[in-house]
Amino acid sequence: MNPLTLVKRIQNINSREATLGISEQASWHAKYEDSAYVFVGGIPFDLTEGDLLAVFAQYGEIVDVNLVRDKGTGKSKGFSFIAYEDQRSTNLAVADNLNGAQVLGRIIRVDHVSNYKKKEEEDEETERRKREARGVCRAFQRGECTRGAGCKFSHDEQGAPSSLD
């Protein structure tokens, strides 16, 4: 579905609830009472985590910002997951203020996230061992690997076979 259509649907639901005077417990937001994360889509690609903090902190204390980036290039993919300290802040960000807002000429979509699983960060040694277990990157051996640090294979020359017999 078109992201702008989703923005409009959420805005329509919120305005209908406000018009009908639906209580907080009966609102569609109550379904997400166990998650303090919001999804943010349509972010301008040059925005940083600090920029997102500046925009979203006006609705509550932010405890986590995961700006999704391309592993190879490190560039933003244009979406993020943001966690508030208090779940009620997610309602403010989604319902009342930021969903459909324009940021640097782009309309952003802000929605609740029901099950956000934060990826556990591994230390460098564990990551290196996993790469070694997968083997040497064949594209790296040919000088063609463009994934850099995002490559899931080892770029260790010592692990490469010396010659084909």
Side-chain angles (χ1 to χ4, degrees), residues 33-85:
E33 67 186 357
D34 295 330
S35 175
Y37 275 90
V38 292
F39 165 82
V40 184
I43 300 169
F45 296 106
D46 52 350
L47 248 58
T48 65
E49 287 85 348
D51 297 329
L52 290 171
L53 274 169
V55 172
F56 284 83
Q58 55 191 316
Y59 301 107
E61 184 74 27
I62 294 177
V63 294
D64 184 34
V65 176
N66 178 9
L67 178 59
V68 179
R69 296 180 179 276
D70 181 88
K71 285 185 179 180
T73 64
K75 293 182 180 178
S76 168
K77 288 189 172 185
F79 66 98
S80 176
F81 296 93
I82 296 174
Y84 284 99
E85 185 176 54

Side-chain angles (χ1 to χ4, degrees), residues 16-33:
R16 243 184 277 142
E17 281 189 356
T19 304
L20 296 172
I22 293 178
S23 70
E24 195 174 308
Q25 293 79 19
S27 171
W28 70 278
H29 298 286
K31 175 180 169 184
Y32 302 98
E33 67 186 357

